[in-house]
Amino acid sequence: MNNMLQPGATIGILGGGQLGRMLALAAHKLGLKAHIYCPDPQSPAFEVTPHKTVADYEDEVALKNFAEAVDLVTYEFENVPAATAQKILELNVPLAPGTKALATAQDRLTEKSFIEQAGVPVAPFANVESQGDLEEAVQTIGLPAVLKTRRFGYDGKGQLFLHKPEDVPGAFKALGENPCVLEGFVAFDREISVIIARSANGDITAYDPAENVHQNAILHTSTVPANISDHVAQQAVDAASKIATSLNYVGVMGVEFFVSDDNAQLVVNEIAPRVHNSGHWTEAACVISQFEQHIRAIANWPLGDTSRHSNVVMTNLLGENIAKVTQPVSPGAMVHHYGKYEVRPGRKLGHINQISPKID
Amino acid sequence: MNNMLQPGATIGILGGGQLGRMLALAAHKLGLKAHIYCPDPQSPAFEVTPHKTVADYEDEVALKNFAEAVDLVTYEFENVPAATAQKILELNVPLAPGTKALATAQDRLTEKSFIEQAGVPVAPFANVESQGDLEEAVQTIGLPAVLKTRRFGYDGKGQLFLHKPEDVPGAFKALGENPCVLEGFVAFDREISVIIARSANGDITAYDPAENVHQNAILHTSTVPANISDHVAQQAVDAASKIATSLNYVGVMGVEFFVSDDNAQLVVNEIAPRVHNSGHWTEAACVISQFEQHIRAIANWPLGDTSRHSNVVMTNLLGENIAKVTQPVSPGAMVHHYGKYEVRPGRKLGHINQISPKID
């Protein structure tokens, strides 16, 4: 990881969704090539580069050919199978962020234990591998609480909110009897996130925290600046830095926080070892986007400037809202369409960034 | 041209250099596909899309297949052969900007006559088809003057500066006895350019004029705001609008001006019926770049916001200066590498945009 990739080198990207697509576009701006690996032949990222592999993540022959065609591998999603990551490394191709970040983010129990050990506050949590475990955990943590599968949850999937004692029986079964964690409910009035980048030599840069609003458990808007004190903002950046350093992380990471009602304390909700939806605003309000910053970090280029020239609100375009992209553009607004042409309710198809003059 | 291209449609781009590449990247951001047509198999634009045709511009079979694969054709350079443009139209594929813009910009005599007829000032000029014509033109226009080939000139190529009477004999021969124009020398203290966009329904938007500095006849920097009065800025935008309207132009056009020593008058130097090097700053200082604006105009989408959130200096990276892309990034700076890997002196390989807070 200590060699700098030169323009003309090829970055392999596992995953062909909008994040992989935007990473490829950012790589192109730096004169780097992009090779997308994804099992879905309809992947939108395939439309922005001539280099692709359509194969399952477990296909060892395809992985070998992919590894031979690229100089470095990164990924757009945290559920890259451990065996896939291992295979890349065995083929002597660097993988960034590394396997520790992947393993940590793939399992909520590992993730929360890790964050706690890094000295960063998380909500109280307990391991739940049976209905008995759950009942015991409720005794310790109390209600309300949230039961979450340890693996493969996203956008509110694989979660069950336990309001009162009657919600507890059957809850473990309702989530498919998969290994879970029970998380204590955090009374918060806002959610924020920090997009942070760390380079191989330990340099860290962070974008300003964004304030995130979810609808139906899917991100709706990210607003910057967030309505938080400078002290909380600094705490959030410090916490994200601690996590990145403890993971020996290389690349861009998103860290989501809950901010308590008194706007004085925060706990980490979760980490994403990749570019993050709540960082799409950087594309319009900073000269170097999170996508470019990720490429810079993994290519071992000096990190770019994360300062913000404008205030901004990013709004996701889900499902039919994507029709807004061809409508008149307000002053200060830009649209981004992900090149996904099948419109399904709730599907992330694009976003709008609305900037305005910076007033701090 | 009155139908709006929908996301998923394919834009064909004649020319595979950095302008074609940046147009393709902008198309991707809007969910449009890009198909690059270029005879040079090493074209940098081929690296940012899976759709390409490697063929001569005169290859009728290749043009037919290309036309069938795309929904609309545009170009990144004004020297698209007239027969190529005609062939596209015969195949019933829209071409934007249209053939009038191409024909006008390809020939300096046609261009200057057209601009004059549109009521916009140009330097005095005369047609030169022989050494005798040249001597006659020098009588009328005087010296100093500049002799330019009517076709295929760029970056100072195909030009001869005539300082004194001794420079006149042999000048026509020195430019290969090609048809030329003689242009009266304009005493100016700065060069500016306006990047303007016009849609099929006649809507016009303009970016702020940039002040351009050339070195060895190649653009070195573009600075915005230009050091000109508001009156001159408005005159420049009005002149560019007149030209675009007279051409019934659709797309982005660059118009270069000389501003006279007293900062009160301007004349058009030349027009470029395409995105322009002196508009690369829009990528960093506006939410909608000239590349996206061009795609919006030709796709018949509403034009985007051209307002500027920051001051900016764009510096071209020529030849070995491209090495700067992997160096540390100053606050407010972003680099762009064009994906051209053969470094030759004077070759345009990238640019740096340096933004700073807007102070008008």
Side-chain angles (χ1 to χ4, degrees):
Chain A
M1 276 311 299
N2 288 316
N3 294 326
M4 186 183 278
L5 282 193
Q6 292 302 311
T10 301
I11 294 183
I13 301 172
L14 296 167
Q18 66 266 26
L19 299 181
R21 179 173 164 119
M22 290 189 274
L23 285 170
L25 293 177
H28 294 329
K29 199 181 141 199
L30 300 177
L32 295 160
K33 300 177 182 179
H35 186 129
I36 305 289
Y37 189 117
C38 195
D40 178 1
Q42 301 301 318
S43 297
F46 288 157
E47 273 302 324
V48 302
T49 172
H51 312 292
K52 71 171 173 182
T53 301
V54 187
D56 287 338
Y57 293 116
E58 291 80 6
D59 182 333
E60 296 209 352
V61 175
L63 280 174
K64 185 164 180 292
N65 292 335
F66 171 68
E68 282 169 2
V70 304
D71 297 288
L72 173 79
V73 173
T74 189
Y75 45 84
E76 60 143 22
F77 69 117
E78 55 272 41
N79 288 319
V80 172
T84 305
Q86 200 50 47
K87 184 78 192 165
I88 298 291
L89 292 177
E90 280 167 18
L91 293 163
N92 286 315
V93 179
L95 176 76
T99 48
K100 187 172 181 188
L102 272 179
T104 305
Q106 284 178 0
D107 183 318
R108 290 186 193 277
L109 183 65
T110 315
E111 182 184 11
K112 283 172 194 300
S113 309
F114 176 82
I115 295 167
E116 194 170 53
Q117 280 161 30
V120 172
V122 286
F125 65 94
N127 186 23
V128 171
E129 297 188 13
S130 65
Q131 182 66 26
D133 283 353
L134 173 59
E135 279 157 24
E136 210 169 293
V138 168
Q139 295 300 319
T140 321
I141 290 174
L143 293 178
V146 190
L147 187 65
K148 299 181 177 178
T149 58
R150 281 171 54 179
R151 302 175 71 90
F152 303 117
Y154 71 98
D155 287 349
K157 291 179 175 67
Q159 302 196 5
L160 214 55
F161 199 95
L162 309 180
H163 299 268
K164 41 192 193 309
E166 303 91 277
D167 297 334
V168 178
F172 185 69
K173 195 168 185 185
L175 288 180
E177 301 193 324
N178 290 301
C180 287
V181 286
L182 185 71
E183 290 180 27
F185 176 74
V186 180
F188 67 91
D189 60 350
R190 47 181 51 89
E191 293 180 59
I192 64 167
S193 59
V194 170
I195 306 298
I196 196 163
R198 185 173 178 277
S199 64
N201 67 5
D203 287 346
I204 285 182
T205 63
Y207 293 94
D208 287 346
E211 181 165 347
N212 302 321
V213 173
H214 291 76
Q215 281 184 356
N216 303 319
I218 300 174
L219 183 65
H220 176 50
T221 58
S222 293
T223 300
V224 193
N227 184 17
I228 54 174
S229 66
D230 289 351
H231 175 69
V232 169
Q234 190 57 53
Q235 267 190 299
V237 169
D238 290 348
S241 301
K242 263 190 196 173
I243 294 169
T245 301
S246 300
L247 283 170
N248 200 22
Y249 195 85
V250 176
V252 158
M253 179 170 67
V255 183
E256 294 183 327
F257 299 88
F258 296 131
V259 182
S260 67
D261 280 343
D262 54 4
N263 192 18
Q265 277 197 318
L266 35 75
V267 298
V268 171
N269 176 28
E270 63 179 25
I271 63 176
R274 53 169 168 80
V275 288
H276 194 254
N277 193 167
S278 72
H280 291 359
W281 63 270
T282 59
E283 175 192 36
C286 304
V287 283
I288 290 175
S289 73
Q290 65 165 346
F291 305 102
E292 177 173 340
Q293 192 77 315
H294 183 73
I295 300 294
R296 289 184 158 272
I298 64 174
N300 212 13
W301 291 25
L303 295 179
D305 180 19
T306 53
S307 64
R308 180 170 55 79
H309 55 67
S310 299
N311 288 354
V312 61
V313 180
M314 188 286 305
T315 305
N316 269 338
L317 295 176
L318 306 180
E320 293 186 348
N321 286 319
I322 193 61
K324 289 186 182 165
V325 297
T326 56
Q327 291 172 11
V329 182
S330 318
M334 51 138 285
V335 296
H336 199 131
H337 187 294
Y338 303 150
K340 302 193 279 191
Y341 307 116
E342 192 189 333
V343 177
R344 292 196 301 262
R347 192 180 192 204
K348 290 178 178 173
L349 299 175
H351 63 262
I352 297 182
N353 277 314
Q354 173 70 56
I355 70 164
S356 57
K358 189 176 174 181
I359 303 161
D360 278 328
Chain B
M1 276 311 300
N2 289 316
N3 293 327
M4 187 182 278
L5 283 194
Q6 292 301 311
T10 301
I11 293 183
I13 300 174
L14 296 167
Q18 66 266 25
L19 300 180
R21 179 173 164 121
M22 291 188 274
L23 285 170
L25 293 177
H28 294 330
K29 200 181 141 201
L30 300 177
L32 295 159
K33 301 177 182 179
H35 185 129
I36 304 290
Y37 189 117
C38 195
D40 177 3
Q42 300 302 317
S43 298
F46 288 157
E47 272 302 324
V48 303
T49 173
H51 312 292
K52 72 171 173 183
T53 301
V54 187
D56 287 337
Y57 293 117
E58 292 79 7
D59 183 333
E60 295 209 352
V61 174
L63 280 173
K64 184 164 181 292
N65 292 336
F66 172 68
E68 280 170 2
V70 304
D71 297 289
L72 172 79
V73 174
T74 189
Y75 45 85
E76 60 145 22
F77 70 118
E78 56 270 40
N79 289 318
V80 172
T84 305
Q86 200 49 46
K87 185 77 192 166
I88 299 291
L89 293 177
E90 280 167 18
L91 293 162
N92 286 316
V93 178
L95 177 76
T99 48
K100 187 173 181 187
L102 271 180
T104 304
Q106 284 178 358
D107 183 319
R108 289 188 194 277
L109 182 66
T110 315
E111 181 184 12
K112 284 172 192 300
S113 308
F114 175 82
I115 295 167
E116 195 170 52
Q117 280 160 29
V120 172
V122 286
F125 64 95
N127 187 22
V128 171
E129 297 189 12
S130 66
Q131 182 65 26
D133 283 354
L134 173 59
E135 281 156 24
E136 209 170 292
V138 167
Q139 296 299 321
T140 322
I141 290 173
L143 294 178
V146 190
L147 186 65
K148 300 181 177 177
T149 58
R150 281 171 54 178
R151 301 176 72 90
F152 302 119
Y154 71 98
D155 286 350
K157 291 180 175 66
Q159 302 196 6
L160 213 56
F161 200 94
L162 309 180
H163 298 268
K164 42 192 193 306
E166 304 91 277
D167 296 336
V168 177
F172 186 69
K173 196 167 184 184
L175 287 181
E177 302 194 324
N178 290 302
C180 287
V181 285
L182 185 72
E183 290 181 27
F185 177 73
V186 180
F188 66 90
D189 61 351
R190 46 182 52 88
E191 294 180 58
I192 65 168
S193 59
V194 170
I195 306 297
I196 197 162
R198 186 174 178 276
S199 65
N201 66 7
D203 287 346
I204 285 183
T205 61
Y207 293 94
D208 288 345
E211 181 165 345
N212 302 321
V213 173
H214 290 75
Q215 282 183 356
N216 305 318
I218 301 173
L219 183 66
H220 175 50
T221 58
S222 293
T223 300
V224 192
N227 183 16
I228 53 173
S229 66
D230 289 351
H231 176 68
V232 168
Q234 191 57 53
Q235 267 190 298
V237 169
D238 289 348
S241 302
K242 262 191 198 173
I243 294 169
T245 301
S246 299
L247 284 170
N248 201 22
Y249 194 87
V250 176
V252 158
M253 179 171 66
V255 182
E256 294 182 327
F257 298 88
F258 296 130
V259 182
S260 68
D261 280 343
D262 54 1
N263 194 19
Q265 277 198 316
L266 37 73
V267 299
V268 171
N269 176 29
E270 62 179 26
I271 63 176
R274 52 168 169 81
V275 288
H276 195 255
N277 193 167
S278 72
H280 291 1
W281 63 270
T282 58
E283 176 192 35
C286 304
V287 283
I288 290 176
S289 72
Q290 65 164 347
F291 305 101
E292 177 173 340
Q293 192 76 316
H294 182 73
I295 300 293
R296 289 184 158 274
I298 65 175
N300 212 13
W301 290 27
L303 296 179
D305 180 17
T306 53
S307 64
R308 180 171 54 81
H309 54 67
S310 299
N311 288 354
V312 62
V313 179
M314 188 285 307
T315 305
N316 269 338
L317 295 177
L318 307 181
E320 293 186 348
N321 286 319
I322 193 63
K324 289 186 181 163
V325 296
T326 56
Q327 291 171 11
V329 181
S330 318
M334 52 139 284
V335 296
H336 199 131
H337 187 295
Y338 301 150
K340 301 194 279 192
Y341 306 116
E342 191 190 333
V343 177
R344 292 195 302 262
R347 191 179 192 204
K348 289 177 178 173
L349 299 175
H351 63 262
I352 297 182
N353 277 314
Q354 173 70 57
I355 70 165
S356 57
K358 188 176 173 180
I359 303 160
D360 279 326

